[in-house]
């Protein structure tokens, strides 16, 4: 019978093993499917469907497979780990709360080079003010002032700036041991505690080392101190102190306690002794052992104190509990708590103590911790928080640092300080969230920078190895396209910065890709190369769709400079391209055609009348129009009369850029050339216009203008609500053109029946559009100006960017979708931003101004392209330095570059980090007030009412008494005209070695009338003031020598 029972048990156990193996296989498939989904989500390729796996579905399936033995918090940690890093290694045992490796093992990615902190870039600062064999006992970061306050055992207090340079120091002579310090935000003083006294240091005092106040006596030995920002009253701070008997003190210090005593002391001594009985000191016993740490957590409006007591190890409650003696919230930890910290993003409190385990607590649940972190082999003495990355750094007694991720509860990095002297452990540690550095202190100060900070500040950002030719944005998929001079095409995800795919040698080996464009819906991509070939690609897969084959005898003039998508769908593709020769062509291909073909060419040259830079054209009756975008036109046949009065201009040879505007009521193409000319083709009025801005410094007989690097149509958002922007070339094409092919005959007849008289009449009425706003043309030039033109050819406004340097050539322009902001990039890497919304409402009005709002240096080299993304509120810039960088649109804060090892964090701009090749911080330009524009000048009426000296009253009546005015009371808001003095010949060198080299100035009136009468002076024979002064002084020196 027993044998049968044994066999039954073995069969049952075998069956359970088989069921568990089956469950593991199904769980592995679930994990693989989830990882594949999260990977696609990161790349922006995932489309939600019914099979989507979220956390609830994942937990439900896991619970079905393994039963109630699986705990929800372990499954949640496992799922977060997959979401944050799908490539990370996961083990099935983690859902049961078991981790491979134990306490002694380190993860493989931790054993290698540092991942979080770059210890090789550690900076060691010798403590400049401590005495021999002294040690730092406390260190506090003051975020709003960017200060670091330190205290040492032998009574030295110091304040450091963000570069760890000492700003102020003092030595407390009355105390031999300082246990802690903090900063009083209201009183602007430093507070420190010794064994029996409280020290308040006024570092702003007129004394050399500042004056400090000593509050004594205190009954017990004070161990730690902190300030609580509970009072909104000025000149009042709340101080919390812990002692060796388990008490926590509450002391309120006001300006009266310090100011009145200082006023009574007439000698102004550096040390002031204050009686502790004059202060209202409240204390309550919260622990049965030493109070090791006390902190105030402003996010929770609570204070926290810890002790090595096992029963009442950690206390967290409102600060009022110190006064009303109500029950407090206590946390019990075996062997007590030595240190604690709070992470606001993760909303957890982390404690550590002598049991070597870090515990995670919910702030309002003290019964059990929400998680545990094991890894230390010695007692934990200090814990700090990296708030931005939700990380915790813990320090053990053996000088071993461990970095933990609070999202995945995993160990990220372990490193040890091996350079510090033996027997001396780092006692204090703070994390600077603004600079991204870990600061530790013992006998010296060590600074450990984050790896990402070093990458951002010391490593040159590189997106491509070579200079970038193209930057385009796919607004539909939130992805960007970059192409370098090596013809490597890369597609990136905007939100994360990860690369999706790349195409090498897109047009063939050693053939450079020069331009690209993405159609509005984001499904197709077009590229142009130096050999004149054009290709169309499927944007999602990167597969080639159509191509324009290489023409015979192709030369450099067929190089495609710019292109824009006019239409794209499965049945038809239409592109407008600009060649280096100056020709503009329309290339299209149908569904049945394998190759693209040229169907329209813009005329290459136009002769303009002198003084009348507009020419009306006619339609070509011999050419059959094959598309619905622009009609075929022909130049005037009779140009003999223009030979004497016309200036020849050949835009096709010098074109550098173009833009297209195809909306209701407007059909425009504009081009910019190297000689500064802007050509505007208006197909509604069948005319072409020549616009230029004469260079004022030019003295040539022929008018000259600065070269055009970029042109852009600006359309008010109210009248362009139906437009769709082609993001690669900023061309604007109406979305309903693709569906209006049936209206083509009417379109042609309207042009065939139009003559020059009708064209001129329509030309005068071009301002009347479908909307109430007329488009404006912007051109960026080599001289650093942006010129704004009306479509009638009138120069509306000139914009010169605000800068302390000389004007630099502008190379790129863009706007936001609503055309409220205009952005431009310069040849030296600067980005400027203007507000143009009021100007576009009425461009002709002088009241509507264009205001520059922001300027920052984005690159150290020329910017070739940029765009603005409204949803993410970012600006992306590309430069010839090979990098594509991401910036915050409101303040110019640097967010990262495409190709960096970590993903972007677009919402967090707390750290002001600049790339290594950028030295200038962003400049936010504020509008000047009206009173700043009016400068105070002299007022004659005020001057006459002032009293005079006797020497002035003795002057002749015709003398101008306001000539040498220097009184502030005679200043007024209105400015009086001033006439500068005329410089004549310089003085002779014989009369003096110094004054002989100074220039002489002739006054409008005789010098005698402007010199005070002095009986010792002889009347000079010269009429210039400088020679008079030198000559009289020489005569006096000769008389004294005689």
């Amino acid at each position: 019978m027993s044998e049968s029972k044994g066999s039954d048990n073995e069969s049952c156990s075998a069956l359970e093993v088989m069921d568990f193996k089956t469950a593991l296989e199904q769980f592995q498939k679930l994990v693989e499917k989830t990882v594949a989904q999260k990977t696609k989500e990161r790349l922006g390729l995932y489309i939600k469907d019914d099979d989507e796996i979220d956390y609830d579905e994942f937990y439900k399936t896991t619970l079905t497979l393994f039963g109630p033995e699986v705990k929800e918090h372990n499954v949640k940690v496992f799922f977060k780990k997959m979401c944050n890093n799908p490539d990370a290694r996961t083990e099935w045992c983690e859902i049961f709360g078991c981790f491979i490796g134990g306490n002694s093992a380190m993860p493989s990615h931790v054993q290698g080079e540092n991942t979080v902190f770059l210890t090789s870039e550690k900076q060691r600062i010798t403590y400049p003010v401590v005495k021999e064999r002294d040690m730092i006992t406390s260190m506090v970061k003051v975020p709003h002032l960017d200060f670091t306050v330190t205290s040492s055992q032998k009574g030295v207090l110091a304040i450091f700036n963000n570069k760890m340079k000492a700003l102020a120091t003092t030595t407390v002579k009355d105390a031999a041991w300082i246990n802690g310090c903090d900063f009083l935000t209201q009183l602007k003083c430093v507070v420190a505690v010794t064994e029996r006294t409280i020290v308040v240091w006024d570092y702003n005092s007129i004394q050399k080392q500042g004056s400090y106040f000593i509050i004594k006596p205190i009954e017990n030995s004070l161990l730690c101190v902190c300030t609580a920002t509970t009072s909104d009253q000025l000149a009042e701070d709340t101080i919390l102190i812990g002692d060796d008997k388990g008490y926590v003190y509450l002391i309120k210090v006001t300006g009266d306690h310090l100011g009145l005593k200082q006023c009574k002391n007439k000698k102004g001594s550096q040390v002031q002794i204050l009686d502790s009985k004059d202060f209202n000191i409240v204390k309550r016993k919260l622990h049965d052992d030493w109070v090791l740490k006390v902190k105030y957590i402003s996010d929770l409006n609570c204070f926290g104190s810890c002790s090595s007591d096992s029963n009442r190890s950690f206390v967290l409650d409102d600060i009022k509990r110190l006064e009303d003696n109500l029950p407090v919230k206590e946390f019990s930890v075996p062997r007590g708590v030595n240190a604690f910290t709070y992470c606001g993003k993760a909303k957890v409190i982390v404690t550590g103590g002598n049991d070597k385990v870090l515990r995670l607590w919910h702030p309002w649940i003290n019964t059990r911790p929400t998680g545990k972190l094991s890894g230390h082999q010695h007692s934990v003495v200090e814990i700090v928080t990296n708030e931005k990355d939700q990380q915790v750094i813990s320090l053990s007694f053996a000088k071993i640092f461990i970095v933990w991720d609070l999202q995945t509860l995993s160990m990220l990095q372990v490193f040890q300080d091996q350079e510090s002297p033996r027997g001396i452990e780092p006692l204090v540690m703070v994390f600077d969230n603004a600079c991204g550095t870990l600061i530790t202190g013992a006998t010296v100060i060590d600074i450990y920078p984050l790896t990402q900070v070093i990458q951002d500040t010391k490593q040159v950002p590189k997106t491509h190895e070579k200079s970038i030719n193209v930057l385009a944005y796919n607004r539909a998929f939130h992805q960007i396209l970059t192409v370098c001079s090596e013809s490597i095409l890369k597609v990136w995800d905007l939100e994360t910065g990860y690369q999706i795919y790349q195409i090498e040698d897109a047009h063939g080996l050693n053939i450079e890709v020069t331009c690209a464009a993405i159609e509005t819906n984001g499904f197709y991509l077009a590229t142009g190369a130096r050999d004149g070939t054009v290709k169309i690609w499927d944007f999602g897969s990167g597969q080639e769709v159509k191509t324009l084959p290489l023409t015979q005898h192709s030369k450099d003039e067929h190089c495609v400079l710019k292109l824009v998508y006019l239409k794209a769908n499965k049945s038809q593709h239409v592109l407008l391209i600009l060649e280096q020769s100056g020709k503009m062509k329309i290339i299209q291909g149908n569904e049945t055609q394998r190759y693209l073909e040229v169907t329209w060419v813009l005329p290459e040259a136009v002769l303009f009348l002198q003084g009348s830079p507009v020419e009306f054209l006619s339609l070509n009756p011999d050419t059959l129009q094959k598309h619905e975008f622009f009609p075929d036109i022909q130049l005037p046949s009779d140009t003999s009369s223009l030979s004497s009065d016309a200036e020849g201009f050949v835009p096709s040879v010098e074109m550098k850029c173009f833009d297209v505007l195809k909306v209701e009521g407007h059909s425009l193409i504009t081009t910019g050339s190297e000689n500064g000319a802007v050509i505007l083709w208006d197909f509604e009025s069948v005319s072409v216009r020549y616009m230029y801005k004469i260079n004022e410094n030019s003295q040539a007989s022929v008018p000259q203008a600065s070269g055009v690097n970029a042109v852009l149509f600006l359309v008010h958002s109210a009248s362009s609500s139906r437009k769709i922007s082609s993001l690669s070339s900023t061309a604007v094409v109406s979305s309903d053109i693709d569906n209006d092919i049936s209206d083509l005959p009417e379109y042609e007849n309207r042009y065939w029946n139009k003559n020059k008289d009708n064209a001129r009449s329509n030309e005068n009425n071009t301002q009347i559009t479908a909307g109430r706003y007329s488009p404006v043309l912007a051109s960026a030039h080599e001289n650093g100006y942006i010129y704004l033109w009306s479509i009638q050819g009138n120069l509306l406004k000139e914009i010169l960017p605000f800068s302390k340097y000389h004007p630099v050539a502008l190379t790129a322009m863009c706007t936001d979708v609503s055309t409220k902001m205009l952005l431009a990039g310069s040849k030296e890497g600067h980005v400027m931003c203007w507000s143009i919304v009021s100007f576009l409402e009425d461009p002709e009005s002088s009241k509507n101004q264009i205001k520059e709002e922001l300027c920052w240096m984005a690159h150290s080299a020329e910017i070739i392209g940029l765009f603005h993304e409204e949803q993410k509120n970012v600006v992306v810039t590309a430069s010839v330095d090979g990098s594509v960088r991401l910036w915050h649109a409101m303040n110019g804060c640097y967010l990262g570059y495409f190709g960096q090892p970590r993903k972007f964090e677009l919402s967090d701009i707390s750290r002001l980090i600049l790339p290594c090749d950028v030295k200038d911080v962003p400049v936010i330009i504020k509008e000047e007030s009206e009173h700043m524009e009016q400068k105070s000048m002299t007022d004659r009426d005020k001057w006459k009412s002032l009293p005079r000296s006797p020497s002035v009253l003795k002057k002749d009546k015709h003398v101008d008494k306001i000539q040498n005015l220097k009184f502030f009371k005679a200043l007024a808001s209105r400015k009086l005209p001033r006439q500068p003095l005329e410089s004549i010949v310089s003085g002779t060198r014989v009369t003096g070695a110094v004054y002989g080299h100074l220039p002489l100035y002739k006054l409008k009136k005789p010098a005698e009338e402007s010199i005070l009468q002095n009986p010792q002076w002889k009347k000079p024979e010269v009429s210039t003031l400088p020679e008079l002064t030198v000559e009289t002084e020489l005569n006096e020196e000769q008389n004294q020598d005689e």
Side-chain angles (χ1 to χ4, degrees), residues 730-769:
T730 67
V732 179
V733 182
S734 178
S735 60
D736 53 356
I737 291 180
D738 296 345
N739 302 322
D740 290 344
I741 302 178
S742 59
D743 298 335
L744 181 58
E746 181 181 355
Y747 178 87
E748 293 180 354
N749 294 331
R750 182 160 53 93
Y751 278 95
W752 285 110
N753 298 328
K754 189 180 298 184
N755 52 27
K756 289 186 178 181
D757 296 334
N758 294 333
R760 290 188 176 90
S761 63
N762 290 336
E763 212 282 328
N764 297 328
N765 298 328
T766 314
Q767 287 281 2
I768 304 175
T769 62

Side-chain angles (χ1 to χ4, degrees), residues 973-1013:
S973 59
R974 295 184 62 84
K975 183 178 179 180
L976 295 176
R978 288 184 175 181
Q979 295 180 355
L981 299 176
E982 296 181 359
S983 175
I984 56 176
V985 67
S986 61
T988 175
R989 299 185 180 182
V990 178
T991 55
V994 176
Y995 296 98
H997 292 276
L998 298 178
L1000 305 182
Y1001 297 90
K1002 180 181 289 185
L1003 301 177
K1004 297 294 183 181
K1005 297 182 179 181
E1008 295 87 351
E1009 297 179 358
S1010 61
I1011 302 176
L1012 297 178
Q1013 297 179 0

Side-chain angles (χ1 to χ4, degrees), residues 607-615 641-649 690 692 694 701-703:
L607 293 177
F608 294 96
L609 289 173
Q610 187 77 19
S612 179
V614 60
E615 183 68 28
S641 60
L642 304 178
S643 59
S644 58
D645 298 330
E647 58 168 333
F649 180 74
Y690 173 63
Y692 63 94
I694 299 177
S701 58
V702 180

Side-chain angles (χ1 to χ4, degrees), residues 465-479:
E465 293 297 328
K466 299 296 182 179
S467 62
I468 296 177
N469 292 344
V470 180
L471 172 67
Y473 180 47
N474 190 334
R475 194 175 299 272
F477 294 160
H478 299 288
Q479 297 173 358

Side-chain angles (χ1 to χ4, degrees), residues 44 140 941:
V140 179
D941 296 333

Side-chain angles (χ1 to χ4, degrees), residues 372-487:
K372 295 182 181 180
L373 301 175
S374 300
H376 282 289
Q377 296 183 0
H378 300 82
S379 299
V380 179
V381 296
E382 189 63 87
I383 308 173
V384 294
T385 304
N386 178 2
E387 188 72 30
K388 179 179 179 180
D389 301 323
Q390 298 188 37
Q391 297 171 354
V392 166
I393 303 99
S394 58
L395 173 64
S396 69
F397 188 80
K399 298 178 292 184
I400 296 178
F401 301 83
I402 299 182
V403 185
W404 310 86
D405 188 355
L406 293 181
Q407 294 179 316
T408 61
L409 301 182
S410 59
M411 185 187 303
L412 299 179
Q413 182 183 358
V414 178
F415 61 96
Q416 184 177 6
D417 183 14
Q418 299 179 353
E419 297 181 5
S420 60
R422 292 184 178 181
I424 300 179
E425 70 282 353
L427 298 179
V428 295
M429 177 175 62
V430 295
F431 185 81
D432 188 353
N433 285 280
C435 300
T437 54
L438 179 67
I439 307 174
T440 63
T443 56
V444 293
I445 297 177
D446 291 333
I447 303 175
Y448 297 90
L450 289 173
T451 304
Q452 64 184 47
V453 175
I454 296 298
Q455 292 172 350
D456 292 339
T457 58
K458 293 188 177 182
Q459 296 180 2
V460 179
K462 278 293 182 182
T463 306
H464 290 266
E465 293 297 328
K466 299 296 182 179
S467 62
I468 296 177
N469 292 344
V470 180
L471 172 67
Y473 180 47
N474 190 334
R475 194 175 299 272
F477 294 160
H478 299 288
Q479 297 173 358
I480 74 168
L481 168 73
T482 58
V483 184
C484 68
S485 58
E486 286 186 335
S487 298

Side-chain angles (χ1 to χ4, degrees), residues 55 108 263 271 368 407 437 464 493 497 526 572 604 641-642 693 720 786 840 852 855 858 916 987:
Y55 170 72
S108 59
C263 295
V271 182
R368 55 174 295 178
Q407 294 179 316
T437 54
H464 290 266
D493 181 62
Q572 189 180 23
E604 300 181 26
S641 60
L642 304 178
K693 176 66 171 62
S720 61
I786 294 179
L840 292 181
E852 186 174 358
C855 176
C916 63

